[in-house]
Structures are given as structure tokens and as C-alpha cells.
Amino acid sequence: MENFVHDIPTKVYFGKGVLSQLDSALRQFGKNVLLTYGGGSIKRSGLYDEVMKILNEGGFKVIELNGIDPNPRISSVEKGVALCKENDIDVVLAIGGGSTIDCSKAICAGYYYESDDLWYMVKHARGGMKVLPLVDILTISATGSDFDDSAVISNPETNEKIGVVFAHPAVSILDPTYTFTVPAYQTAAGSADIMSHIMEGYFSRTEDSEVSDGLCETILKTVIRNLPIALKDPDDYAARANLMHAESVACSGIPEYGKLGSGWPCHAMEHELSAYYDITHGVGLAILTPHWMRYILKKDPSCMWRFVRFAKNVWGLEGDDERELALKGIDALEDFFKSNGIPSSLSELKIGTEHFEDMASHCCEGGRMGSGFVPLDKDDVVNIYKDCL
Ligand code: NZQ
Ligand code: ZN
């Protein structure tokens, strides 16, 4: 088992009605609030009005940045930083999913950044920066941005999507009832993202980090059980709450404690797909992951034991032929994604081979894919993209 450091300073309020904590969560930092959100789901759901009531009654001064896109753009970060500087903002309040929270993390860091070149900041940030405090209200179970220190920001002009470490949110308000309105496609895509965050760490060479492996298997089974319930009955509180609990822990680093890192290969490959084609992150992961699994199993069968464990402990499969069992586990994962309405090929998203070489080169920059569970080179990555067609 490897050494690890636990360092998550975010205060999390979880459950029905925890919006009651919003006033005090903000007040400790000051009264000037930048409120950030996406394309309007919070207005349609009524959450915006609930929040504004609390902010108005509390005497907060509120400046808004709206229209943050899925796969948030550097242009939104620039707008947010300018608003913070013009209005002497004390705290940023992000309401939404990973895109709004990520954009807000970059805004919090950009406020204190010494230059105006915020894209340079995104490309070079390594954590430990001075940041404005961030409070968030999560509305979709997917990324875990509410409980980690990372943000992923896109630059459509350069076809780049960069994941970077800024800082954890100070406070996260997680009320599963706010996810009742998430559409089926986004609910399924978010669940695929949660599962991917687990699988990226689970597929490690370390065999003896038992708490982490057990936690990973439990979270995967939790998503497998609850996603179909949430799709059938979007207002099922227990299903939504379990998905939200799972999303928060899944990307926190906790499920990987004590394990050798994997380099998160599916995320590296997916970020290229969404950089070039602006697709939904979880959908890209759901397409890539089973193909990546089959590819590495063929390339390096010494990782078979891990797939056998996955088949048995996550999918409840049995059998004496290890290779057959390993492949059945991968098929079960692919079938699960399909049965929950997620596209299973890049062709379905109208993606062809035209950028595969460039995407694979970016992916492998800095040797990122060259270590981990099964090292991959540029040709391997191109082959995996082709398998996904
Ligand atoms: O923009 P609005 O109108 O709010 O609609 C959003 C958006 O269209 C909608 N939505 C969210 N909550 C809703 C809702 N619709 C109805 N009711 C609600 N309660 O869902 C759509 C997707 O929202 P988004 O924030 O983009 O989703 P997600 O949370 O999946 O975030 C994806 C982004 O996070 C990055 C991804 O790459 C992508 O850019 N990631 C961030 C990570 C991190 N910070 O640690 C890790 C992840 O691996 C991931 O890369
Ligand atoms: Zn992800």
C-alpha cells in the first residue's frame, strides 16, 4: 500500500433543506457576492428565486455572471474576473454543475493572478495559489468539483481543454432535491462520469489497498443500482441522494488512497474529444472506457486479475475462464451504459477520424499516458479512438 495525504478543507452540507446554511456560509467572507450560473436551469427550477430571497434578506450585494457553458470557456473566466475586480467581490457563489463550479474556481484564482493572461494561468496553475473563497450549490451529480481542487477549462480557439489544480471550494451545499430536474441524458452522463472517476483509480496495479478497492466497488454498485431508479422516477430522493453522495466522494481522491496512480487515461482521451467536438464529458467517457479496457487487456494480459475482480465484485459474474470472465465484465459495463440511453460509439456523435492524430499527440504530451496501469503511446491512443467509431 502506498503513502497518501488526506487534505480536503471543504465544508459540506448534505441533504434536504441545507440551503438554510447559505447565509452563514457566505457571511463569514463578506457581503459582496459574485453569483455564477449556467444557461438558466436554475431559473426554471426555482432555485434562483430561493437563493435570491436569502441573499436579499441577508443584505448581500449581488453581481451576476450567467451563461457559463458546459465545457466552460476561458472567456467566461475572463468576464468573471473582471466583474470581481470592478465590484470588490468578497466571495463567489456558484450554482450549477461541474462547468459552473470549475469556471468559478478559475475566477477565484484569476482575481489574484498577477497578469491578465488568464489562459496562461490555466495552462500553468499547479495549486497553492491565493484564491477568493468559493461557495457552491451543486445541481447535478457528476464531476465532484464540489469536493475537489480541480477545474477543467476550454479554449475553443485552440481546441484545448485543460484540467488544472486551483483550490477546493470553501463550502459546498449538496441538496439532492436540486437534481430532480436534471434531464435523463445528463443524469446518465453524470453517472458515467462518476463511474469513470472510480474506474480511473480502481484499475491500478496496487493489490493491497483494501479500503480503497472496497470503496470503489461499493460506489460503482451504488451508481449501477440507483441510476436506473433516478431515470425511471426523477424525484426518487434516495436514488438522487445516493448518486450525489457517490459523485462527491468519487472524484475526491479518497477512493485512490494507498494506490499507485493510473494517469487517468480515459479522462485524458475524453478531454481531447470534448476540446475538439464540445461533447458531453460523461458520454465521451462511457464510449471510451469499454474500448480502452479491451485494448489494454489485449496489450498487456498481466492486468487480467484486476478485470476478473471487477467482473466478480462489481457485476457479480462467475466463471473459471479468467479471460472470458474479464471480457464479460467489460461487456456488462458497456451494456449498462447503453441500457441507460448513453450513445456507445463516436459515429453516433458524428465524430470521424479527422483529428485523431492531433488529439492523440496532445493526449500523450509530457509522457502522461506512458505510465500508469498499462502505458500507452500515441499509436495506441489513435487505435482506441478508432475502436470507438
Ligand atoms: O447550464 P444549465 O442551464 O444550468 O444546464 C446544465 C447543463 O446544460 C444542466 N443542468 C445542471 N443541473 C441541472 C441541469 N438541468 C436541469 N436541472 C438541473 N438541476 O446540465 C448540463 C450540464 O451541466 P455541466 O455543469 O456541464 O455538467 P457537469 O457537472 O457534468 O460538468 C461537466 C464539466 O466538468 C468537467 C467536465 O470536463 C466538463 O467540462 N469536469 C470537471 C472535473 C473536476 N472539476 O474535478 C472532473 C471531471 O472529470 C470533469 O472533467
Ligand atoms: Zn470526469
Side-chain angles (χ1 to χ4, degrees):
M1 183 165 162
E2 306 296 313
N3 293 1
F4 65 87
V5 177
H6 174 84
D7 181 12
I8 303 180
T10 305
K11 182 156 193 169
V12 176
Y13 293 100
F14 187 101
K16 269 181 206 166
V18 290
L19 193 62
S20 59
Q21 303 296 330
L22 180 62
D23 184 300
S24 59
L26 293 169
R27 191 171 297 279
Q28 60 182 321
F29 301 117
K31 286 229 161 175
N32 291 350
V33 178
L34 178 74
L35 171 62
T36 59
Y37 55 98
S41 71
I42 65 161
K43 290 207 166 162
R44 291 189 292 279
S45 69
L47 178 55
Y48 175 87
D49 290 340
E50 270 187 78
V51 168
M52 286 310 290
K53 185 166 182 284
I54 292 169
L55 297 180
N56 289 334
E57 285 174 3
F60 291 95
K61 179 184 159 204
V62 182
I63 303 295
E64 293 191 22
L65 172 70
N66 61 19
I68 296 171
D69 295 305
N71 301 324
R73 319 288 197 253
I74 186 65
S75 51
S76 296
V77 178
E78 289 162 352
K79 277 186 210 159
V81 170
L83 287 172
C84 287
K85 288 184 176 170
E86 282 159 25
N87 295 285
D88 210 6
I89 291 297
D90 299 311
V91 52
V92 176
L93 171 60
I95 313 182
S99 295
T100 295
I101 299 175
D102 284 4
C103 180
S104 305
K105 284 178 180 169
I107 292 168
C108 290
Y111 179 75
Y112 287 110
Y113 192 61
E114 59 272 14
S115 119
D116 290 336
D117 189 347
L118 296 177
W119 185 239
Y120 185 90
M121 174 190 80
V122 167
K123 291 190 82 165
H124 296 90
R126 294 286 178 276
M129 301 164 76
K130 187 171 181 192
V131 295
L132 274 174
L134 173 64
V135 174
D136 65 79
I137 303 171
L138 185 69
T139 64
I140 175 171
S141 298
T143 64
S145 188
D146 47 289
F147 200 48
D148 73 19
D149 55 6
S150 308
V152 188
I153 307 294
S154 295
N155 186 341
E157 286 173 19
T158 56
N159 285 332
E160 286 175 289
K161 180 174 181 183
I162 309 276
V164 64
V165 172
F166 286 121
H168 289 86
V171 180
S172 289
I173 292 177
L174 308 189
D175 182 336
T177 62
Y178 297 144
T179 66
F180 286 176
T181 54
V182 178
Y185 188 76
Q186 291 293 342
T187 299
S191 295
D193 192 22
I194 300 169
M195 292 177 75
S196 176
H197 296 159
I198 293 295
M199 292 185 288
E200 295 277 39
Y202 182 73
F203 286 89
S204 155
R205 295 279 173 177
T206 306
E207 293 185 46
D208 60 357
S209 194
E210 294 176 21
V211 172
S212 290
D213 273 344
L215 186 58
C216 286
E217 288 159 359
T218 296
I219 293 178
L220 288 173
K221 286 189 284 188
T222 300
V223 177
I224 292 164
R225 192 165 48 249
N226 286 288
L227 170 60
I229 300 173
L231 291 178
K232 191 160 170 265
D233 179 3
D235 293 359
D236 187 305
Y237 180 79
R240 292 291 194 181
N242 276 297
L243 290 176
M244 192 170 247
H245 192 182
E247 80 86 43
S248 200
V249 181
C251 202
S252 65
I254 294 172
E256 286 176 89
Y257 286 173
K259 300 181 73 167
L260 285 168
S262 68
W264 284 47
C266 292
H267 273 67
M269 292 187 283
E270 196 297 310
H271 284 167
E272 292 302 319
L273 282 174
S274 38
Y276 277 81
Y277 297 98
D278 199 18
I279 63 169
T280 299
H281 173 62
V283 171
L285 291 167
I287 295 170
L288 282 162
T289 305
H291 292 288
W292 166 77
M293 289 176 162
R294 290 189 191 102
Y295 192 91
I296 60 167
L297 189 57
K298 197 166 169 195
K299 180 170 176 172
D300 182 359
S302 75
C303 66
M304 181 96 69
W305 63 273
R306 181 52 85 175
F307 284 97
V308 170
R309 181 177 171 148
F310 177 67
K312 285 185 176 169
N313 292 4
V314 176
W315 299 103
L317 300 169
E318 296 293 341
D320 297 328
D321 183 326
E322 291 213 325
R323 188 174 158 71
E324 202 176 293
L325 191 53
L327 288 169
K328 274 190 181 163
I330 301 171
D331 291 346
L333 177 70
E334 196 171 51
D335 291 346
F336 175 75
F337 289 146
K338 266 191 217 169
S339 67
N340 288 292
I342 304 179
S344 53
S345 70
L346 293 180
S347 327
E348 283 172 67
L349 306 182
K350 312 257 181 297
I351 294 176
T353 57
E354 58 277 8
H355 297 301
F356 284 178
E357 293 284 333
D358 288 343
M359 286 159 49
S361 296
H362 292 163
C363 225
C364 295
E365 263 168 25
R368 178 171 179 192
M369 306 290 276
S371 58
F373 189 50
V374 174
L376 299 173
D377 62 21
K378 185 187 158 193
D379 290 341
D380 293 321
V381 174
V382 170
N383 288 335
I384 293 170
Y385 284 138
K386 286 184 178 162
D387 289 347
C388 293
L389 284 169

